Amino acid sequence: MKRLLALFVIILCLSGCTEDKPRPEGSVNVIPIQIADVSKDAIEVVSQKSQSPFTIKHHVRNRAVYVECYIPNFIFKEAGGKKVAGEGHLTVYVDGKKVDDMNTAAFVVRGLEQGNHIMTVEVVHNDSSSYNLKKTWEVTIQ
């Protein structure tokens, strides 16, 4: 009987040890921005709660920048044609100068000179009018 009672007390104590504690109403939530820096070789910039539905990840290797874009509910098309909501392409700028139009979500920018460069990717419609979605970041080529 004593063993059964001791087992019951242990189970009762362990059932109270949970990490799911209710939060009081009106508490402030802090959403961190994650930046992973691996010796300036790779930088990933991701916001867990973003104001715009446009996310870019990039990776620098040698003199090339590997870029991956995530745009939900978007279809990549070549430049030109009628303006259709949810369709379009990307315009890529390096140091404020247009480099190319891309119709894929992932691409590589090669041949950058040593030093710091400002890269910008803008989401545009088929007719090259802007969606007002643009991301800018700095890369360092060593």
Side-chain angles (χ1 to χ4, degrees), residues 75-125:
I75 299 170
F76 286 92
K77 298 279 186 166
E78 288 192 32
K82 291 172 39 176
K83 182 176 180 177
V84 178
E87 288 185 1
H89 57 279
L90 304 172
T91 302
V92 181
Y93 300 89
V94 176
D95 297 328
K97 297 176 186 171
K98 182 178 175 179
V99 176
D100 205 354
D101 288 324
M102 301 302 302
N103 60 353
T104 60
F107 56 91
V108 180
V109 178
R110 296 183 187 267
L112 294 174
E113 297 294 324
Q114 280 187 328
N116 294 336
H117 298 279
I118 303 295
M119 296 191 66
T120 302
V121 173
E122 181 178 14
V123 182
V124 295
H125 290 277

Side-chain angles (χ1 to χ4, degrees), residues 11 39 43 49 54 73 95 119:
I11 291 175
S39 304
I43 298 175
K49 185 174 183 180
F54 177 36
N73 304 317
D95 297 328
M119 296 191 66

Side-chain angles (χ1 to χ4, degrees), residues 2-140:
K2 288 183 180 183
R3 286 186 182 175
L4 187 59
L5 184 58
L7 182 63
F8 178 73
V9 170
I10 291 173
I11 291 175
L12 184 63
C13 289
L14 290 177
S15 67
C17 298
T18 64
E19 292 186 30
D20 256 349
K21 297 178 183 166
R23 291 180 173 228
E25 287 187 36
S27 66
V28 176
N29 290 326
V30 178
I31 300 171
I33 296 175
Q34 298 174 349
I35 300 175
D37 185 356
V38 185
S39 304
K40 295 203 178 216
D41 186 36
I43 298 175
E44 179 178 343
V45 181
V46 178
S47 173
Q48 289 182 346
K49 185 174 183 180
S50 176
Q51 295 294 345
S52 70
F54 177 36
T55 303
I56 290 184
K57 294 181 182 181
H58 71 279
H59 177 82
V60 178
R61 180 169 289 155
N62 298 325
R63 293 175 63 172
V65 181
Y66 296 81
V67 181
E68 180 182 3
C69 303
Y70 174 70
I71 310 166
N73 304 317
F74 187 80
I75 299 170
F76 286 92
K77 298 279 186 166
E78 288 192 32
K82 291 172 39 176
K83 182 176 180 177
V84 178
E87 288 185 1
H89 57 279
L90 304 172
T91 302
V92 181
Y93 300 89
V94 176
D95 297 328
K97 297 176 186 171
K98 182 178 175 179
V99 176
D100 205 354
D101 288 324
M102 301 302 302
N103 60 353
T104 60
F107 56 91
V108 180
V109 178
R110 296 183 187 267
L112 294 174
E113 297 294 324
Q114 280 187 328
N116 294 336
H117 298 279
I118 303 295
M119 296 191 66
T120 302
V121 173
E122 181 178 14
V123 182
V124 295
H125 290 277
N126 296 334
D127 65 355
S128 295
S129 61
S130 181
Y131 271 97
N132 293 321
L133 292 175
K134 185 186 291 189
K135 297 284 184 176
T136 300
W137 69 95
E138 185 175 345
V139 295
T140 301

